[in-house]
């Protein structure tokens, strides 16, 4: 069943459309939020042959002129070079402030295209069209855009909300089990931080995909509405990410984002149990879900290497590192640790 969720971010409200067959309706849906203009479709080499033509045809039916930029698929493309190439393409294509970018793909595409939209001509409109479960449940909503630097993941970027999000769930039918698992890791994260009922649905695998996506979007929408720029409660969405981002960087991005987040959640939860910050039931629930969705709960990377990468994390400040710590099943809290404490916590969680 198709439906929509309204995101009332402080600086912009927009709709997230969720359902099957929506890619062919993208032109109609977009025309309700963006006046017909030149639409720059930004996508990767994996998605291009699957969906670009359908999106272009849909947009053209509703008066949009389309141009397209394709970059090599993968996290390694989420860098300053690709970002600059997109900006040059937008300029060479003659886009003005009344034109728009359409990000068609997974999280890498959304982050890159969104950051380009946020900075080209000091900001133009853009739309998110996620084609992965990870992007559908998480990265396409909330306005975080950015690129990786040599020092770490997502260290350059902007908060720039889309005009709309169009999630065609049928696009997920082409994903491998491994790519789906990456998205399930983020869905598990939402349940762990604030929704025990979502965890029960995930454990039973008894909810429609649309229902899971919608619930994750609802949770994120509420958090973004309260804290758009990640000054407080939005940091809860980083459960598993501080360690996870370090795993990604240290692996040369050979470990996918979802798997790295799964490792990060397990490391932090093990440490929390061993320090008496939460009960063992938190770890049991997490272990069960990670196993159910074929996600890892450990890493072979060493503490010293991981901690060095963690020092580049955006959540670090003069007081130390702020980490998301489980308190009970479906409840997480923010705790700030000085750097020595944070390293000991990491070492504790890495132990089998």
């Amino acid at each position: 069943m198709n439906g929509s969720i309204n995101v009332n971010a402080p600086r912009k409200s927009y709709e997230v459309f969720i359902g099957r067959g929506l890619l062919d309706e993208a032109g109609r849906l977009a025309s309700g939020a963006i006046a017909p203009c030149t639409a720059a479709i930004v996508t990767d080499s994996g998605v291009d042959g699957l969906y670009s033509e359908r999106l272009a045809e849909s947009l053209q039916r509703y008066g949009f002129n389309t141009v397209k930029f394709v970059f090599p698929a993968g996290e390694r493309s989420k860098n300053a070079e690709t970002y600059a190439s997109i900006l040059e393409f937008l300029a060479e294509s003659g886009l003005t402030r009344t034109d728009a970018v359409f990000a068609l793909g997974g999280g890498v595409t959304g982050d890159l295209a969104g950051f380009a939209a946020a900075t080209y001509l000091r900001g133009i409109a853009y739309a998110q069209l996620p084609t992965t479960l990870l992007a559908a449940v998480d990265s396409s909503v909330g306005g975080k855009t950015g690129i990786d630097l040599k020092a770490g993941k997502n260290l350059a970027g902007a908060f720039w909300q889309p005009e709309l999000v169009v999630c065609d769930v049928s696009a997920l039918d082409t994903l491998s089990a491994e790519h789906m698992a990456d998205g399930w890791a983020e869905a598990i994260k939402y349940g762990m931080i604030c929704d025990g009922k979502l965890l029960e649905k995930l454990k039973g695998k008894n909810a429609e995909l649309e229902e899971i996506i919608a619930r994750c979007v609802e949770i994120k929408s509420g958090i973004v509405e309260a804290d758009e720029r990640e000054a407080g409660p939005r940091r809860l969405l980083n459960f598993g990410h501080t360690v996870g981002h370090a795993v990604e960087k240290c692996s040369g991005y050979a470990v996918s984002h979802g798997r790295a987040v799964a490792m990060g959640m397990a490391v932090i939860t093990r440490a929390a149990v061993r320090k008496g910050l939460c009960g063992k039931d938190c770890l049991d629930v997490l272990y069960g879900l990670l196993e159910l969705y074929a996600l890892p709960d450990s890493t072979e990377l060493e503490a010293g290497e991981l901690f060095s990468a963690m020092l580049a994390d955006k959540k670090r400040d003069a007081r130390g590192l702020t980490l998301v710590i489980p308190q009970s099943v479906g409840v997480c809290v923010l705790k700030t640790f000085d750097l020595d404490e944070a390293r000991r916590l990491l070492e504790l969680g890495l132990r089998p």
Side-chain angles (χ1 to χ4, degrees):
M1 185 175 70
N2 295 354
S4 68
I5 296 168
N6 198 56
V7 180
N8 293 306
R11 289 186 289 180
K12 181 180 292 180
S13 294
Y14 55 94
E15 281 191 275
V16 179
F17 298 93
I18 302 167
R20 291 188 169 270
L22 294 186
L23 197 58
D24 297 316
E25 297 296 317
R28 177 181 64 81
L29 297 172
S31 66
I34 302 171
C37 61
T38 295
I41 299 170
V42 176
T43 192
D44 70 35
S45 56
V47 172
D48 181 34
L50 294 171
Y51 303 119
S52 289
E53 187 175 343
R54 285 174 59 191
L55 174 58
E57 289 176 353
S58 179
L59 290 170
Q60 289 162 10
R61 284 199 303 271
Y62 284 83
F64 291 87
N65 172 50
T66 61
V67 295
K68 183 177 69 174
F69 180 92
V70 182
F71 64 90
E75 183 76 29
R76 291 182 178 89
S77 287
K78 200 173 117 179
N79 55 39
E81 182 180 355
T82 309
Y83 160 68
S85 296
I86 296 172
L87 293 179
E88 294 290 356
F89 171 78
L90 298 178
E92 290 166 5
S93 300
L95 265 73
T96 70
R97 284 180 171 170
T98 59
D99 296 318
V101 171
F102 283 71
L104 175 66
V108 170
T109 300
D111 284 358
L112 268 169
F115 188 32
T119 50
Y120 179 68
L121 299 179
R122 297 189 175 90
I124 64 173
Y126 84 110
Q128 289 269 19
L129 298 100
T131 61
T132 67
L133 180 58
L134 191 152
V137 300
D138 188 65
S139 62
S140 66
V141 177
K144 271 191 178 181
T145 70
I147 58 173
D148 304 333
L149 302 181
K150 291 179 181 178
K153 188 175 169 76
N154 296 331
L155 294 184
F159 291 97
W160 192 247
Q161 301 293 345
E163 303 300 317
L164 76 159
V165 179
V166 179
C167 176
D168 186 342
V169 178
S170 59
L172 309 186
D173 294 343
T174 61
L175 296 179
S176 66
E178 291 77 12
H179 279 100
M180 286 295 289
D182 283 330
W184 290 123
E186 289 285 359
I188 292 167
K189 174 199 76 177
Y190 280 103
M192 289 294 293
I193 64 171
C194 66
D195 192 344
K197 290 182 179 179
L198 176 58
L199 294 176
E200 290 299 319
K201 288 180 179 179
L202 290 170
K203 280 195 284 186
K205 287 193 169 183
N206 58 357
E208 294 291 332
L209 192 53
E210 292 92 331
E211 182 184 352
I212 296 295
I213 294 170
R215 182 57 189 140
C216 292
V217 170
E218 286 173 349
I219 293 170
K220 187 163 191 179
S221 173
I223 292 174
V224 169
E225 289 169 13
D227 177 23
E228 182 180 17
R229 299 181 66 85
E230 203 174 41
R234 185 166 181 172
R235 291 185 171 197
L236 288 170
L237 296 173
N238 294 312
F239 178 47
H241 283 59
T242 299
V243 175
H245 286 171
V247 168
E248 288 182 82
K249 180 180 182 295
C250 292
S251 73
Y253 298 102
V255 177
S256 65
H257 178 69
R259 279 167 173 71
V261 167
M263 295 173 188
M265 291 190 292
V267 167
I268 291 299
T269 305
R270 275 196 296 271
V273 171
R274 288 166 178 168
K275 283 186 68 69
L277 299 174
C278 68
K280 188 175 178 297
D281 56 335
C282 288
L283 192 56
D284 292 340
V285 168
L286 180 61
Y287 275 167
L289 286 165
L290 295 181
E291 181 179 7
L292 184 63
Y293 288 95
L295 288 160
D297 60 22
S298 63
T299 174
E300 297 298 317
L301 292 165
E302 295 183 354
E305 185 180 11
L306 284 172
F307 190 69
S308 293
M310 287 169 61
L311 294 180
D313 192 89
K314 300 183 297 300
K315 278 76 69 183
R316 180 187 174 189
D317 58 25
R319 297 174 299 160
L321 270 172
T322 298
L323 300 172
V324 185
I325 304 294
Q327 191 173 63
S328 59
V329 175
V331 179
C332 284
V333 294
L334 297 169
K335 287 186 178 291
T336 300
F337 300 85
D338 67 38
L339 296 185
D340 287 339
E341 290 175 324
R343 173 155 185 154
R344 287 195 294 271
L345 196 74
L346 174 65
E347 292 169 345
L348 198 60
L350 285 173
R351 280 192 358 232

